[in-house]
Amino acid sequence: MTDDLALDPALDDSALAAALVRNAGGLALRMRTEGLSAERKTSVSDIVTAADKAAEAYVVDQLARCRPDDGVFGEEGASVPSASGRTWVIDPVDGTYNFFAGSRYWCSAIALRGEADSSEADPAVELGAIYQPQEGKLWVGGSGTPATLNGTPLAGPEDLELALLGTATSIQPKWLAQPLSAMPWHNAAVKAASIRILGSGSCDLARVAEGEIGAWFQHSCPQWDWLPGKAIVEAAGGATGTVVVNGLTWFAAGGTTAVGEILEALAEVHFA
């Protein structure tokens, strides 16, 4: 199924990342059209499909061809040690619950990070690419790559107070039932102009980078849910940050002022 999607090893990193997410997202969409079943991972809303696994396998195979010395770290279990000091972090389908339900709000995402232990919550990131197939939107950006949407430069998020911004977030019902997570989340959420829970963190972060969404925050993000969007937001001139509150690491992105307000609001509700 993927023989016709082989990539040229001569592509530079940004072009390679863009091609990988385009092809992975397109493969997942074709498989959804043909019919899929899903397996539960940790909860009813945390699922995996054959498309997630096939898209990740495709990316891993292409990286083995095009960047054989680089490491790989994927949501669906891919783990390849790095000989180069660089590692590609893969989210083959971000927003799988949306994807399986037939929504258009899902994407394929990838990031390239340098030296970092895979257990680090927020390592430095060199490059990110996010592709939303059914919208035909491709975001790319990084430390040496300007932030773009379909090749057009992004203006980045406005630097406004949180009270003036629509803010995307995510928190599962089980975490809303626990004061250690629910109370910090509530303290930050009520300070925004409006709240949206849309179901794909990478889609949200890409829209923060282009200014469609004002800011974003969430706790306990694995690297594949955070680093692709982080790279693009920072390349667009936005801010990112983390704070540990009650044993949970919270992540935020947006303009400098809003990110500072989010992190401060979260940290205010700290239980000794």
Side-chain angles (χ1 to χ4, degrees), residues 31-55:
M31 292 182 69
R32 187 179 77 174
T33 301
E34 294 166 0
L36 288 170
S37 60
E39 302 171 17
R40 185 183 300 185
K41 293 166 74 174
T42 62
S43 68
V44 172
S45 62
D46 183 17
I47 60 175
V48 62
T49 71
D52 296 74
K53 297 176 181 179

Side-chain angles (χ1 to χ4, degrees), residues 16 51 59 72 78-79 81 92 109 152 160 165 175 178 198 205 227 230 248 267:
L16 178 61
V59 174
V72 177
S79 181
T152 300
L160 299 174
L165 297 173
W175 292 106
Q178 300 184 38
L198 301 170
L205 286 163
L227 294 184
K230 174 187 176 181
L248 296 175

Side-chain angles (χ1 to χ4, degrees), residues 95-220:
T96 300
Y97 194 70
N98 285 356
F99 169 77
F100 187 65
S103 169
R104 302 168 68 92
Y105 203 78
W106 62 275
C107 64
S108 290
I110 195 167
L112 176 62
R113 62 168 169 78
E115 290 283 0
D117 184 84
S118 62
S119 64
E120 287 189 37
D122 188 26
V125 61
E126 299 178 9
L127 177 67
I130 297 168
Y131 180 58
Q132 193 174 348
Q134 291 175 275
E135 299 295 332
K137 292 185 174 183
L138 172 66
W139 297 267
V140 180
S143 57
T145 303
T148 59
L149 167 58
N150 293 342
T152 300
L154 298 179
E158 290 187 273
D159 190 16
L160 299 174
E161 294 179 0
L162 186 60
L164 300 175
L165 297 173
T167 301
T169 184
S170 180
I171 187 167
Q172 295 298 321
K174 67 178 182 180
W175 292 106
L176 281 174
Q178 300 184 38
L180 292 177
S181 49
M183 291 179 67
W185 180 85
H186 180 269
N187 199 46
V190 298
K191 292 176 170 57
S194 66
I195 286 292
R196 300 289 183 269
I197 298 179
L198 301 170
S200 169
S202 285
C203 286
D204 294 345
L205 286 163
R207 284 168 169 77
V208 170
E210 66 173 286
E212 181 179 328
I213 292 174
W216 175 94
F217 70 100
Q218 184 177 329
H219 75 77
S220 305

Side-chain angles (χ1 to χ4, degrees), residues 62 64 73 140 143 149 171 232 246 256:
Q62 294 306 306
F73 182 45
V140 180
S143 57
L149 167 58
I171 187 167
I232 298 169
N246 304 327
T256 300

